[in-house]
Amino acid sequence: MIREPAERRRLCVRIGAAATLLFLVGGGLAVMMAPAPPNAPPALFRLLNQSKYPASQLFLLMTLGPTILALGLADRARGRFAGWLTTVGRVPMFYYLLHIPLIHGTALLVWYLRDGSTHADWFATAPYVSVPPDQRWSLSLLYVVFVVVVAALYPLCRWYATVKAARPQPWMRYL
């Protein structure tokens, strides 16, 4: 990331595309070679169903490849959306540390508004995988919560980015 912009973009595109292609080839071979059990989901869903905990090599290729590719392609982006991403990108640890408690608090609020109970026992460990199927959130609700959390954190990130730029302290590089 410290290389010249043109070289950085070229390397990110090459590395990201190679990792994504390696995932598609390796994961595709794994799906085709393993016999599908009865009532198995389609091949595409089996390809995307990689082990996250612990992270498998295919999961890392599947997630990091497109991300590194996007870094190379978005490096020249301009406009309001690019400015928002730049603001959050200037304070990544600050965003990360704030988003976890905010997501949990928002989840408790949504459960309370939805069911009249916070189901606090579901949040004792993470990830909690034993939520009954009839209690799981719809994808649209999940996206609404995602947008609300990101929108709520943006003003804080903008504020901290200005503080960080105005008074650069050595410890602030990490937050």
Side-chain angles (χ1 to χ4, degrees):
M1 299 314 289
I2 60 174
R3 297 184 185 238
E4 293 298 319
E7 184 182 4
R8 178 181 62 234
R9 279 191 293 276
R10 188 175 60 254
L11 280 172
C12 284
V13 168
R14 285 181 180 171
I15 292 169
T20 304
L21 183 64
L22 189 58
F23 162 72
L24 291 172
V25 170
L29 285 172
V31 166
M32 289 188 320
M33 301 292 275
N39 299 327
L44 175 64
F45 293 124
R46 292 196 318 269
L47 173 67
L48 295 176
N49 188 23
Q50 300 300 322
S51 173
K52 183 177 180 183
Y53 299 109
S56 67
Q57 287 83 2
L58 286 174
F59 176 81
L60 294 173
L61 289 170
M62 174 178 76
T63 55
L64 294 177
T67 303
I68 294 169
L69 177 63
L71 278 174
L73 297 176
D75 199 27
R76 294 184 190 171
R78 301 289 177 258
R80 182 173 285 185
F81 184 69
W84 293 338
L85 291 177
T86 301
T87 298
V88 174
R90 287 186 178 138
V91 291
M93 182 63 87
F94 182 79
Y95 177 87
Y96 178 77
L97 292 174
L98 291 180
H99 96 284
I100 293 172
L102 184 58
I103 285 174
H104 285 281
T106 306
L108 291 170
L109 177 65
V110 169
W111 281 118
Y112 184 75
L113 293 174
R114 222 181 102 171
D115 297 347
S117 171
T118 60
H119 303 290
D121 56 314
W122 293 354
F123 295 92
T125 62
Y128 190 81
V129 294
S130 297
V131 176
D134 62 324
Q135 292 292 317
R136 293 185 183 151
W137 293 5
S138 66
L139 192 56
S140 58
L141 177 60
L142 192 62
Y143 281 137
V144 167
V145 169
F146 166 75
V147 168
V148 166
V149 166
V150 171
L153 287 178
Y154 178 76
L156 292 171
C157 289
R158 189 177 60 207
W159 166 79
Y160 186 68
T162 58
V163 168
K164 189 175 175 180
R167 293 179 284 181
Q169 304 287 330
W171 64 269
M172 286 181 144
R173 289 186 313 193
Y174 303 105
L175 188 60

